[in-house]
Structure formats: structure tokens, C-alpha cells
Amino acid sequence: MYDKTQSLLLRWAGLFLFIQSIILTLSPAARERAWDVDYRLSHWAGFLAWVALVLLAHRATVKHMPERDPYLLPAAALLSGWGMLTIWRLDETFGIRQTIWFGVSLIVFILALYAQKQILHLFRRYKYILLSGGLLITALTLIFGTNPMGIGPRLWLGCCGVYFQPSEPLKLLLVIYLSAYLANRINLRLSSLALLIPTLVVTGIALLLLIVQRDLGTASIFICIFTLSIFLYSGKRRILVTASIFLIGALVLGYFFIDVIQIRVQGWLNPWSDPAGQSYQIVQSLLAVANGGIIGRGIGIGSPLLVPVAISDFIFAAIAEETGLVGALGLVALIWLILARGLIVALHATDKFRRHLAAGVVAYLGIQSLLIIGGNLRLLPLTGVTLPFVSYGGSSLLTSYIALFLLLTVSHTEENEPAPLPDPKPYTYLAGMLALGLAAVAVTNAWWAIVRAPDLLERTDNARRSIADRYVRRGQLLDRNNQPINVTEGESGTYERVYLYPDLAPLTGYTHPVYGQAGLESTLDDYLRGLKGNPSSLIWWDHLLYGTPPPGLDVRLSLSLNLQSEADQLLGGHAGAVILMNAETGEILAMASHPTYDPNKLSEQGEALSKNESAPLVNRAAQGLYPVGTSMLPLVRANFGEEQPAESELKAYYRELGFFQQPTLDMPAAFDTADSPLDSLKASPLQMVLAVAALSNKGIIPAPRIATAVNSPEQGWVILSAEGAPREVIPTEASNQAAASFIASGKSYWSHVGQASLEEDIITWLLAGTLPDWKGAPLALVVTLEENNTFLASHIGDMLLNAALNQ
């Protein structure tokens, strides 16, 4: 029965890894959506090595451990294979190394099976020598220690590409030492001298690692292993409280005296304060988890290499990005299977030494797993330990398989009776604590992958969006006559956004890998990225198959490039804004904001633009707020005639005109608050043109529109409705009379020039529009100049209105 169960589980594990290998091979085709690509093949060497080595391990356990636990080897083998294929996906060189270390670990595991009883006897008998030897080798890192990465704590011994981290097996040696030490003692009191000796040893080791090697993770694991071992022996819960206080004290001590720990604690408490510096690792880890969502981006399709040390410290984040919450929960479930079966093994152990040994191994594996996964998810501070069986690292993998050997050896009872256990509650508490920890990990993973994912993925430091844009064509922005404004050029893998009419940048914005998004590129992003407007089934299928949305949809704007070009030429090098609107439909025909910039040169000029005092990045037409001054005369006369209104009446009227609220339009827009004094009222050109439109549209303010249609794959061009609704604010007769009273001699439209003071500068306004009896489309125009130049304002109005009326 044991053999069949283990064999069946290993077959399922092999099938899972086989499917993963196929997906990894085909991932370049999925990413580029083409068959003519360079396929991934090297990882098959790792898979075949896994099959051969696991088959040997299976046969060896069947032969030498017929009564073993049948779940432990399959779970550990699946975790190792999953981790190894992930490492092959991330870095082929490290994939080769991990495969070699996997072979070494399995060979050691198999050889140990031939002398399992003798090994346990030697471990128990020579516990002092083993621990002393481990301490001596660890101490050598103080003199000969190195770091394979060239920076950071020197925790390794070795050279020439082969390194060994003594602190990894030292954890297991501590478990063996404590198990043998406690098994030989009966009714040991917490205050006895016999308990003081191991306490001093463990405390000394922890402080050595913490202070000299600056290794908070390993020090924490030592303290936890010791605490849980004593707790399982005595059943005294106050031990857990004391250890918790000690750990907090160690953390505080490390925070004030050890720079590495201080950086990690600060990054844990507030990673958003320095996301590009000290908190870069944890922020990128959270972005990876968020990018994975529920089902993941797809194996080989995500961007886990954006997270530093993804093969080791952050391999959980790499797996979560490409397999999503589903994969992360599966990984956690495998860890829990090993821990749960390990505790069952401990309860059925035939003597106290074996029981303490199995429980200690479970504590070691569980604590280390919780520390590293919790660090990846910001549930705990980063500690830099490895994820057992999964992370890259020869010493970690070898230690994990020695731990597995110990569990299997203890589980091989050969039908002997379990040793007496007077009080099983401590083991129940341990199971509960580990289960609660893994449940917290699962909930936290879901929090970042589902709840916080939308906000995180919109961060400008999330390069995954721009990477995806290189492989999926982004929709175009077109003018009302389908002339292109912003387009995507290139081929899959090299797609690049190109801005054909750079002067429109303050309005249309940009999408950039460093500076994020702005303008219409941001507000219409869901359409342009294919997340909106496509059938939900297509979006779901593309996400499942490619890990990305379908190709983006083209969006047609209400702008006329002919009129827009005219407005930009007339405004020239003068700071200000021009808006021309269809007064009936609310469609914006031209929107100029100067000074402007070229988004095609954002990579070179982005930082300088953000510091430019003339603020070229700001869309003055919608985001600029200017004092209205005498420009409001036509609007005031339309409602109050020649009477002088009270301030409360005037303020209510301005509120009706929409000056104290944001225009309902797909773009960032500013507005003044009703709390401001009326004589200092500020309005944006967009707010002003909407109010002016009422004088040319029978007293009705239209709902503004900029995006008018989207080209869907099923229905073609689909008209987009306006966000707001038209509303009457002025009686028709009164608006007609007001417009007629501002007709300039010899012109076929009304206009008014007003001015206002802004600190030491003068703001010039031009308000204009077609006459009430105009037979064509009614127009409204606003010109705002950041200078005292009534002639230029009138000239721009004359030329632009004539061009619009005559086209």
C-alpha cells in the first residue's frame, strides 16, 4: 500500500512537471504570438535528471523503508522539481548548477538509506561533536567567508564557483543536538542547570550570527527551533512568550546596531517611502504577486527577473507571478503536507529521540518557509533565508534532503508501538501555529494578488506594463477623420509608441516605461490596452493563453487635426490655451496647450521637463486655473441683464455654470472650490468654454466629449456616450440677446475680451461663439493667454473661427 501510494503520487508529480516543461518550451511562442521563435529546450535536461533521480530514490525507499510515510518523498520531490524548473526558466546557468546539486542531494539521500539506523545512532551519540563541528565551520566564515554575489554578508565558504553555506546544516545539527539532549533527560525543570547549557549555546549561536554575520533570518530560526523544542518537551506556554520577547529584543538590537537589519525593517514598515532604493526588492516582489493575480501570467511569460535574487530569496514571488494565487496556494499546500505528515510521524515515533527529532525537523522546515514567504509578501521583515526544497542553493537543498531522510527514517516504524506521550497538546499547538502561519500567508497573498493588485499595477515603477506593451499592439488614437495621432509601430517584442502629432502631448499624453502614463493615454488605457471593448471571453482566453490582454482597440477622438494645427500655429510660442468646441454636441474640435513638449523624446528629456518652471507637461486647457476677471461679462449679462447681482446670487449662478465642479470628461481636469472668495474665482479654459457654449446653444451647456468611438473587433466602430448630460442654465431668449450684444462690427460671430490679474502678471481671455441664428454647427471658443495681449487673443479667435466656419 505504501509503495503504490508513493508511486502514484510521484507519477502525478512527474506529470505536473512534464506539463510545466512543455508550457515553458512553448512560452516564447505565446509571448510573441507567433510560431517562428526560439523555443526553450535546455530545461528538459533538468526534468529528465529529476525523473531519473527521483525514480532511483523511489526504488531505494521501497527497498530499505517499506513502512515509511508515502507522502513525504512525493511532496518534497515535487517542490524540488518545481523550484528547479523555475530556476531554469530564470537563469539557465543556475539551472544547471541546481540540477547538479539536486543530483548530489538525492545521491546522499539514497546512500543514507543503506545505513539509516546506524546514522541515527551516530547522530544521537555524537551530538556534541556534530554541533561543535558545525559551529567551528560556521566560525570559519568570519575569516574565510565570502559572498558569491560579491556584496552583502559573507556567509559562504568556497571558491571557483562552488560555495557552501555552513549555517544551513547548522540548523539541522541544532535540531539533532536538542533532540538527543532532551531525550536523555527526564522531568527536566525549566530553571535547572541542565537546561541552562543548551540555552547558552543557542543564545550564543544566535548572537554570533546576528552581530557578526548580520544574519537575522538564521538567528531567528535558531531561537525558534530551540523554543519549540523546549516547548514540546515541557508543554509550558510561557516559553513561547519569553522567546517572542527575546526575538523582538533581537530585532530591536539589530535595528539600532546593524545596518542591513535596519534597512530591512524600514522596508518592511514602509516600503513605499523608497521604492527605487532600499525597498526596491520588497516593492518589486509585491508587484510580481499583484501581476500574477488569480491564475498567473503564465509560465515563462511573466517578468519575475525584475525582482532581485528571484532564483533564491524571492523564488516564491517568481512562482506567484507566473502561476498566480492558484499556484502560490498549491505551493503552500505542499509545504503544509510535509509539515502535517511530519507531525504525524513525530506522534508515532517509537522513542523520545525520534519524536523530538521529527518535531524539530518540522519546526525547522516550517519556520524557514514562513520566514521567507512572509518576507516576500511583506507579512514579515525580509530575512534572506531560502525556501526549503525550492530555492536555489546547494547547501540549502542538501540540508532539506537530509531533513527529509530524517523524517522518513523516523516514519519507518516497522509496526513498532509509538512511545508513550503523556500530553499531546504541545504538538497540537505546534500544528496550529504552523497552520495559522500558512493561512496568514495565503490570505496575505490573496490581498496583494486581488485586492491591492489594481493599484499596484498602475504604479509608475511597475515595468511589467511596459514590457507587456512591447509584445501586444496598443490601440491608436485617431482624430475625427481617422487620421492617426498616437500609434504603435514595430513587431512583437519591439513594439514602440510613436507620437505623430507631438504638439498634442499635453492632451493625449504618453505611455512610457519609466515615466508611466499621462493624458488620454492614461484615461483611455483600458480601451487602448484591450481590457475594455473586447469580449470578456476573448480577454479571459488571451490572459489564460498569453498572460496578456488581446490587442488594444483604436479610439476615435472628436479632435480635427486641421483645426488643431491651426490653433497650435496661432498660439505659437505664447503660454496659454485654446479650446474650440461644438456648442451643441460638446465635442472638442481643438485643444491647444502651450508650451508643449515632444513625447517621442521623453526618455532623454523627461527629468528636465518635470523640473521645467514653464510646466509643459500640464494641460493648461483642462488643468490650468486662471482668474476670470472681466471675462465673465457676457455670461453675467445673459442671466442678470444690466442689473448688479448680489454675491450670493452670483455664486449660485457660477455653481450652475459648473465652475465649482470637475467637468465630466475622460481627462484630468482641475476646478476651483466654492469656499474661495468670489473676487478670486479661478476657472480652467475647459470650464469656461462649456459655460460659453450656452450662449451659442440656446442657453444649454452640452456634455463635453473627447473620445467619441472605439473600434471593437465584433461590431466595428461603436459610439461612446458622453459621461454627463446637457443642462439648461440660461433662458433661450436671454442667451440669444446676450450673444447678440457682443457682436463685433463686420463679424459673423460674437466675441468678448476680458482680463484678470495673477500676482504680477496679466491674464487675457477671449470668449467667442457663433450667433444664435447660425445655420451650421454652433461653435464656442475660448482663448487664454498668460500675458497682456488683447490683440493676439482677438487674432487667434478671428483666424480659428473663420477656419472652422469655412471648412
Side-chain angles (χ1 to χ4, degrees):
M1 177 181 177
Y2 295 103
D3 299 344
K4 289 183 179 180
T5 301
Q6 181 172 286
S7 177
L8 179 62
L9 292 176
L10 286 174
R11 288 176 185 175
W12 280 109
L15 178 61
F16 175 86
L17 297 178
F18 176 71
I19 295 173
Q20 183 178 357
S21 298
I22 292 177
I23 295 173
L24 191 54
T25 295
L26 298 176
S27 61
R31 178 179 281 275
E32 299 188 24
R33 305 194 183 205
W35 293 108
D36 186 17
V37 296
D38 294 328
Y39 292 96
R40 297 175 183 266
L41 297 173
S42 58
H43 62 277
W44 285 101
F47 172 74
L48 293 176
W50 182 90
V51 172
L53 290 165
V54 170
L55 181 60
L56 291 175
H58 169 62
R59 290 180 176 177
T61 54
V62 169
K63 181 179 179 180
H64 297 284
M65 290 184 172
E67 302 296 327
R68 76 209 167 277
D69 186 289
Y71 296 93
L72 289 172
L73 178 60
L78 179 53
L79 284 174
S80 299
W82 197 346
M84 186 165 60
L85 287 179
T86 302
I87 295 166
W88 274 96
R89 177 261 181 273
L90 296 171
D91 192 306
E92 183 177 318
T93 300
F94 286 100
I96 295 172
R97 294 180 181 179
Q98 186 74 350
T99 303
I100 294 173
W101 275 112
F102 181 70
V104 171
S105 301
L106 264 292
I107 291 172
V108 171
F109 172 81
I110 293 170
L111 292 177
L113 295 177
Y114 287 87
Q116 50 188 289
K117 293 183 179 180
Q118 294 88 335
I119 290 175
L120 283 190
H121 176 72
L122 290 174
F123 280 172
R124 184 172 186 176
R125 183 175 180 180
Y126 297 105
K127 55 184 177 294
Y128 295 107
I129 296 176
L130 288 172
L131 184 60
S132 300
L135 288 172
L136 177 61
I137 296 175
T138 303
L140 290 177
T141 60
L142 303 179
I143 304 172
F144 304 107
T146 184
N147 190 310
M149 299 181 64
I151 57 173
R154 298 184 301 170
L155 308 179
W156 288 261
L157 295 174
C159 67
C160 308
V162 180
Y163 298 95
F164 184 75
Q165 188 175 358
S167 61
E168 284 293 334
L170 186 61
K171 303 167 191 172
L172 204 54
L173 292 175
L174 177 64
V175 170
I176 295 170
Y177 166 76
L178 289 173
S179 302
Y181 187 87
L182 294 174
N184 294 333
R185 273 135 183 96
I186 302 174
N187 299 325
L188 187 66
R189 292 182 299 170
L190 296 181
S191 58
S192 65
L193 181 63
L195 188 59
L196 183 62
I197 296 174
T199 302
L200 292 176
V201 170
V202 173
T203 304
I205 295 172
L207 291 177
L208 175 70
L209 292 168
L210 182 67
I211 298 175
V212 181
Q213 291 196 335
R214 300 182 298 169
D215 191 351
L216 175 64
T218 304
S220 301
I221 292 173
F222 270 90
I223 295 172
C224 290
I225 289 174
F226 173 74
T227 302
L228 291 175
S229 297
I230 301 300
F231 171 68
L232 293 175
Y233 176 85
S234 65
K236 304 297 184 181
R237 281 176 287 183
R238 65 175 179 270
I239 295 174
L240 301 178
V241 177
T242 304
S244 300
I245 295 173
F246 187 88
L247 272 175
I248 295 173
L251 186 63
V252 173
L253 178 69
Y255 179 82
F256 286 106
F257 295 100
I258 303 176
D259 54 350
V260 173
I261 296 176
Q262 186 178 69
I263 290 171
R264 288 179 173 177
V265 171
Q266 290 174 347
W268 171 53
L269 295 174
N270 187 15
W272 320 114
S273 61
D274 189 16
Q278 296 179 349
S279 302
Y280 182 78
Q281 285 181 303
I282 182 59
V283 168
Q284 291 302 317
S285 176
L286 297 179
L287 289 174
V289 174
N291 196 46
I294 298 177
I295 62 174
R297 290 291 158 180
I299 297 171
I301 301 178
S303 303
L305 284 171
L306 292 174
V307 186
V309 204
I311 60 172
S312 180
D313 294 8
F314 290 92
I315 197 167
F316 178 82
I319 292 173
E321 178 170 3
E322 298 201 331
T323 63
L325 178 62
V326 174
L329 293 181
L331 188 69
V332 170
L334 284 173
I335 294 171
W336 171 243
L337 177 61
I338 293 176
L339 301 182
R341 299 301 301 184
L343 286 173
I344 293 174
V345 167
L347 292 174
H348 290 83
T350 56
D351 58 56
K352 291 183 178 181
F353 169 65
R354 292 170 181 256
R355 176 167 293 152
H356 286 300
L357 183 62
V361 168
V362 168
Y364 151 60
L365 294 175
I367 293 164
Q368 184 152 324
S369 299
L370 287 174
L371 278 177
I372 188 59
I373 298 176
N376 280 205
L377 298 173
R378 201 192 156 210
L379 184 64
L380 297 169
L382 286 175
T383 54
V385 296
T386 55
L387 183 57
F389 298 106
V390 183
S391 292
Y392 171 78
S395 49
S396 172
L397 190 61
L398 179 59
T399 304
S400 296
Y401 270 94
I402 294 175
L404 177 67
F405 161 76
L406 295 177
L407 283 179
L408 285 173
T409 301
V410 175
S411 73
H412 186 219
T413 60
E414 296 180 324
E415 299 183 355
N416 291 332
E417 289 295 323
L421 182 61
D423 185 10
K425 285 185 179 180
Y427 291 84
T428 304
Y429 285 137
L430 176 59
M433 286 187 289
L434 293 175
L436 185 62
L438 292 176
V441 163
V443 172
T444 306
N445 196 109
W447 167 259
W448 295 117
I450 300 175
V451 180
R452 289 297 309 279
D455 294 334
L456 288 177
L457 296 179
E458 291 179 359
R459 290 177 58 89
T460 56
D461 53 359
N462 178 27
R464 293 160 183 80
R465 178 190 293 266
S466 59
I467 291 173
D469 285 344
R470 295 208 302 262
Y471 292 92
V472 183
R473 182 177 292 276
R474 187 174 177 83
Q476 301 182 97
L477 287 178
L478 309 171
D479 86 333
R480 64 188 304 108
N481 299 311
N482 289 338
Q483 293 187 59
I485 301 173
N486 293 358
V487 300
T488 296
E489 296 181 352
E491 299 178 351
S492 179
T494 61
Y495 282 136
E496 183 179 3
R497 198 64 167 170
V498 177
Y499 308 90
L500 302 180
Y501 193 99
D503 285 346
L504 258 175
L507 167 62
T508 55
Y510 54 79
T511 181
H512 192 272
V514 176
Y515 299 103
Q517 293 181 317
L520 296 179
E521 288 280 1
S522 176
T523 55
L524 299 175
D525 184 64
D526 284 348
Y527 284 118
L528 297 173
R529 282 176 57 82
L531 293 171
K532 192 175 180 180
N534 278 309
S536 57
S537 58
L538 178 63
I539 297 173
W540 180 86
W541 176 252
D542 276 48
H543 180 78
L544 180 65
L545 194 59
Y546 307 115
T548 55
L553 306 183
D554 297 340
V555 178
R556 180 189 293 155
L557 305 180
S558 60
L559 298 174
S560 167
L561 280 185
N562 293 333
L563 295 174
Q564 182 68 40
S565 178
E566 183 77 15
D568 284 318
Q569 291 179 18
L570 290 168
L571 194 53
H574 299 272
V578 175
I579 300 184
L580 179 65
M581 174 182 283
N582 184 315
E584 182 178 17
T585 64
E587 295 178 358
I588 297 173
L589 304 177
M591 179 180 280
S593 173
H594 287 204
T596 184
Y597 64 98
D598 187 350
N600 295 298
K601 301 177 181 178
L602 200 59
S603 296
E604 301 84 20
Q605 303 176 355
E607 189 163 345
L609 288 171
S610 64
K611 298 178 181 178
N612 194 322
E613 294 182 356
S614 62
L617 296 172
V618 175
N619 179 14
R620 285 166 160 78
Q623 296 172 286
L625 289 177
Y626 301 94
V628 297
T630 61
S631 64
M632 298 293 290
L633 183 58
L635 292 166
V636 173
R637 185 174 296 178
N639 193 66
F640 298 104
E642 299 296 335
E643 297 180 5
Q644 183 64 33
E647 183 169 337
S648 58
E649 294 177 316
L650 194 58
K651 197 165 191 176
Y653 177 52
Y654 286 168
R655 181 179 286 104
E656 185 69 18
L657 291 175
F659 285 113
F660 301 126
Q661 63 187 30
Q662 183 175 356
T664 54
L665 193 60
D666 282 327
M667 68 172 66
F671 63 98
D672 205 351
T673 64
D675 298 332
S676 303
L678 204 57
D679 57 2
S680 62
L681 171 67
K682 294 181 180 179
S684 69
L686 176 59
Q687 290 176 307
M688 189 68 81
V689 78
L690 286 168
V692 166
L695 300 183
S696 297
N697 187 37
K698 302 176 182 178
I700 299 174
I701 293 180
R705 301 185 67 197
I706 186 70
T708 59
V710 60
N711 193 10
S712 70
E714 291 186 337
Q715 304 175 28
W717 285 104
V718 177
I719 303 300
L720 298 175
S721 58
E723 292 188 17
R727 63 185 193 278
E728 183 176 357
V729 293
I730 306 172
T732 301
E733 185 62 29
S735 67
N736 292 345
Q737 290 179 3
S741 65
F742 286 91
I743 299 175
S745 176
K747 297 181 180 179
S748 58
Y749 46 84
W750 68 268
S751 64
H752 168 71
V753 175
Q755 290 189 315
S757 297
L758 181 60
E759 297 178 353
E760 297 180 359
D761 299 322
I762 299 295
I763 303 299
T764 302
W765 289 90
L766 170 77
L767 280 55
T770 53
L771 299 175
D773 57 356
W774 172 250
K775 301 303 181 183
L779 301 175
L781 173 69
V782 167
V783 178
T784 310
L785 299 176
E786 298 177 10
E787 59 186 77
N788 182 8
N789 198 335
T790 57
F791 173 80
L792 178 61
S794 298
H795 177 69
I796 293 174
D798 290 341
M799 297 298 292
L800 191 55
L801 277 174
N802 285 326
L805 295 175
N806 293 325
Q807 77 169 7

